[in-house]
Amino acid sequence: MARYIFITGGVVSSLGKGLASAALGALLQARGYTVRLRKLDPYLNVDPGTMSPFEHGEVFVTDDGAETDLDLGHYERFTGVAARRTDSVSSGRIYSNVLEKERRGDYLGKTIQVIPHVTNEIKDFLSVGADEVDFQLCEIGGTVGDIEGLPFFEAIRQFAQERPRGQCIFMHLTLLPFVAASGELKTKPTQHSVKELRSIGIAPDVLVCRSEHPIPEKEREKIGLFCNVRKESVIAAYDLKSIYEAPLAYHREGLDQAVLDAFGISPAPKPNLARWHDVNDRLTHAEGEVRIAIVGKYVQLEDAYKSIKEALTHGGMANKVRVKVEWVDSEVFDREDPGPYLEGFHAILVPGGFGERGTEGKIKTAQFARERGIPYLGICLGMQMAVIEAARNVAGFKTAGSEEFDHEAGKRRFEPVVYHLKEWIQGNHVVERSVGDDKGGTMRLGAYTAALTEGSRVAEVYGASRIEERHRHRYEVDTKYREALEAKGLCFSGMSPDGRLPEIVEWKDHPWFIGVQFHPELKSKPFAPHPLFADFVRAAVETSRLV
């Protein structure tokens, strides 16, 4: 039976609960334990799939096709454990399940209430996979005191109460603000946050205190005294140069030991942190630097491309170089020539996105990279824009475009080189979609197989003839244009096993130009960089030596 660690936050949001959870999971793994990390979000959206990237950052997609919170990306990157559909839930999903059961009559005519029906649904979610791992780490989104989070806090209180003593602990993250005028760290916000938590029946076993300044011993003692936590369980969380320093930093502060002590696990296995020492060595002893431009439409919020930025960092580790990422708004190129903006970069990446805004700028970017011989990686929409650019400027289809933009405008303006996918094979059954379907959860989602062309660059990069990657899209490149494009040198080097859906394109006579319909960034890890990103950064290093 798994032991449960519930991670909550207080004072302010964005303290780094997801990162702390991921780092703790990595430390428990280093001691030989198996872990599973899960996220419970209080918002009423069923999932983040229909939310704007400006609202919530990127959507992380699992192998089994769930659209989840970006914190699951942290979990995977730090532990290597593939997230599943049952690792993420929101208030919207919980309430939907409860209402579906009520409509079916499952509650036998009872009055449906938050307690016990909603809390029971949350507890049922927590119970999934309880016998699969040694530790389940469950992060509760938001901050204590938020009205929408109350059912989750009540559910985890009940859950811990119903389990055998010592099987559940609570870890709470807070902020210790520094008041410059008095030169003091203030513990009062932490005291009030813990008081709020205790008022709903939850007493934290471990406190993680985010601080920009060292926490004096007397302040730790004060926090422990007023929050009823052992002084050794008051853990400092300082700002770091890289998130990948977190496991070693938390270990130095004693987080993993405090957690094991709270469970009464003694003596605990000693940790093997060689993996994280190697990761940090590669980060801190880079032998050069490359500049890579991410040309996208959500660049005002870097979290919108979180996994891409991290995958580029991993690619840098694989090549022992530092990747300097710079964000470029593709809308600028709708009006201006990209040349002056992109001239000094060693490689260009065009990520995914939805809607027509900024896409003409992405097309110009693909043209610039093709004509100048600059390494180019197009992901999802970035691949589609590269194909449209090739169709317009090389193959002679002057009005080439995407059905997505025509649907948005409500009139036909483009020759649909990219079309709305209405049917595809998932496993052993056919999935059908129409333009009028609901937006949520109706895309081609999750892991699909692609067959690679023998002798192609991607087959060489992957070192394989078949790969499996995660998808999130509802528009595809039309294969009826394949022959005309391949005649001009754009090779369709990866296809779905049935040969109907293009997965990868590449220019034959280009130093490095690859477009992929899937999202390779979602499977990259610091200790196992994704081969596409590792080779993309290698190509950028080659370009930097030529400049």
Side-chain angles (χ1 to χ4, degrees):
M1 185 68 73
R3 293 180 171 93
Y4 283 80
I5 304 167
F6 294 107
I7 298 105
T8 59
V11 186
V12 294
S13 59
S14 302
L15 282 179
K17 291 197 303 295
L19 183 58
S21 304
L24 177 57
L27 290 173
L28 291 171
Q29 278 185 326
R31 290 179 181 265
Y33 296 109
T34 55
V35 300
R36 183 176 184 185
L37 290 99
R38 313 177 78 186
K39 181 75 185 282
L40 296 86
D41 274 305
Y43 53 72
L44 283 172
N45 304 69
V46 172
D47 58 41
T50 56
M51 294 165 75
S52 163
F54 293 123
E55 189 81 19
H56 198 70
E58 78 168 4
V59 174
F60 190 82
V61 179
T62 61
D63 281 333
D64 56 4
E67 294 176 290
T68 71
D69 185 83
L70 59 80
D71 275 332
L72 271 75
H74 284 314
Y75 303 164
E76 276 204 26
R77 283 189 284 273
F78 277 74
T79 66
V81 177
R84 290 177 276 177
R85 181 178 294 277
T86 49
D87 289 334
S88 176
V89 76
S90 67
S91 285
R93 172 58 64 196
I94 293 292
Y95 282 108
S96 292
N97 291 350
V98 168
L99 293 174
E100 284 171 15
K101 289 180 178 180
E102 186 271 333
R103 293 287 84 186
R104 287 199 305 264
D106 291 3
Y107 297 120
L108 304 176
K110 290 182 179 176
T111 302
I112 310 306
Q113 296 176 291
V114 172
I115 301 171
H117 301 100
V118 172
T119 50
N120 283 351
E121 191 71 25
I122 296 168
K123 289 189 289 183
D124 288 345
F125 169 80
L126 293 170
S127 300
V128 172
D131 57 350
E132 295 176 3
V133 291
D134 298 319
F135 289 94
Q136 283 212 38
L137 289 78
C138 303
E139 177 193 346
I140 314 300
T143 55
V144 64
D146 294 344
I147 192 167
E148 62 265 31
L150 286 173
F152 287 98
F153 290 115
E154 173 60 19
I156 62 175
R157 183 198 68 77
Q158 291 180 19
F159 189 87
Q161 187 75 11
E162 293 162 5
R163 297 273 153 163
R165 187 177 294 276
Q167 200 183 335
C168 300
I169 70 165
F170 296 94
M171 181 172 114
H172 190 57
L173 271 79
T174 68
L175 177 69
L176 292 184
F178 180 78
V179 179
S182 61
E184 291 179 308
L185 282 174
K186 290 298 181 183
T187 65
K188 194 62 72 178
T190 293
Q191 293 177 44
H192 280 296
S193 183
V194 172
K195 181 182 177 184
E196 180 79 28
L197 199 60
R198 289 171 66 86
S199 73
I200 54 179
I202 296 173
D205 300 281
V206 178
L207 274 179
V208 178
C209 301
R210 186 74 183 266
S211 173
E212 295 178 356
H213 297 268
I215 304 174
E217 197 66 17
K218 68 181 184 68
E219 299 301 325
R220 287 183 195 252
E221 291 174 359
K222 182 179 179 181
I223 292 167
L225 177 64
F226 284 99
C227 297
N228 201 33
V229 174
R230 294 172 58 205
K231 184 187 74 173
E232 297 79 12
S233 296
V234 178
I235 308 298
Y238 301 122
D239 293 349
L240 304 170
K241 290 180 181 175
S242 165
I243 61 172
Y244 300 114
E245 295 176 28
L248 296 179
Y250 275 124
H251 177 66
R252 284 193 300 271
E253 289 294 321
L255 175 61
D256 47 331
Q257 189 61 56
V259 165
L260 293 169
D261 287 346
F263 280 113
I265 299 174
S266 181
K270 296 217 177 314
N272 177 5
L273 296 168
R275 167 189 278 183
W276 292 103
H277 284 298
D278 178 59
V279 165
N280 277 274
D281 182 63
R282 288 175 178 273
L283 271 175
T284 54
H285 295 96
E287 296 168 2
E289 181 177 277
V290 292
R291 293 180 67 219
I292 296 180
I294 297 181
V295 182
K297 57 200 291 186
Y298 312 120
V299 294
Q300 295 90 334
L301 181 69
E302 292 184 17
D303 272 359
Y305 302 119
K306 186 67 178 174
S307 291
I308 287 176
K309 187 174 185 294
E310 297 308 322
L312 287 171
T313 300
H314 308 159
M317 291 180 193
N319 291 277
K320 290 210 163 180
V321 295
R322 186 176 297 103
V323 176
K324 185 180 181 185
V325 170
E326 295 186 35
W327 309 90
V328 182
D329 189 343
S330 61
E331 277 193 276
V332 173
F333 303 154
D334 287 354
R335 305 176 298 274
E336 300 180 43
D337 174 36
Y341 293 87
L342 301 177
E343 208 64 72
F345 289 104
H346 305 125
I348 298 167
L349 188 150
V350 175
F354 295 90
E356 188 173 4
R357 182 177 63 82
T359 53
E360 289 298 323
K362 291 186 176 187
I363 291 168
K364 285 184 186 175
T365 301
Q367 181 180 3
F368 176 85
R370 175 179 60 81
E371 292 176 347
R372 300 292 185 93
I374 297 171
Y376 175 96
L377 175 58
I379 295 174
C380 199
L381 187 67
M383 167 193 165
Q384 295 173 4
M385 296 305 98
V387 172
I388 289 172
E389 189 278 321
R392 287 183 188 178
N393 301 323
V394 182
F397 300 97
K398 296 300 181 187
T399 60
S402 172
E403 264 193 340
E404 179 179 7
F405 312 148
D406 280 348
H407 290 154
E408 189 177 333
K411 58 184 176 182
R412 171 82 184 265
R413 298 169 297 157
F414 298 114
E415 183 165 354
V417 172
V418 175
Y419 71 103
H420 184 269
L421 183 63
K422 297 175 181 63
E423 182 180 293
W424 68 90
I425 295 172
Q426 182 175 20
N428 56 7
H429 70 280
V430 175
V431 180
E432 294 183 350
R433 293 282 184 263
S434 71
V435 176
D437 284 347
D438 289 344
K439 298 297 181 198
T442 57
M443 287 183 272
R444 187 174 177 227
L445 291 165
Y448 287 86
T449 302
L452 308 185
T453 303
E454 190 177 341
S456 64
R457 180 181 291 278
V458 286
E460 180 188 330
V461 167
Y462 276 98
S465 58
R466 288 174 85 85
I467 59 170
E468 193 173 82
E469 295 282 5
R470 297 176 189 175
H471 293 65
R472 183 177 182 252
H473 58 99
R474 56 170 60 88
Y475 291 86
E476 290 272 359
V477 173
D478 197 332
T479 50
K480 78 179 184 184
Y481 296 92
R482 177 178 180 177
E483 189 177 332
L485 289 165
E486 289 199 321
K488 297 295 184 179
L490 184 66
C491 174
F492 284 55
S493 53
M495 298 291 292
S496 61
D498 61 5
R500 294 170 60 191
L501 305 176
E503 295 280 9
I504 307 172
V505 297
E506 58 183 70
W507 280 105
K508 286 181 182 176
D509 300 325
H510 192 284
W512 207 100
F513 191 111
I514 294 174
V516 296
Q517 183 59 75
F518 45 82
H519 289 269
E521 71 274 15
L522 300 179
K523 295 179 80 168
S524 188
K525 301 165 186 66
F527 43 81
H530 192 284
L532 265 179
F533 280 90
D535 204 59
F536 178 56
V537 174
R538 180 202 59 76
V541 172
E542 292 293 319
T543 302
S544 72
R545 290 172 181 159
L546 297 173
V547 174

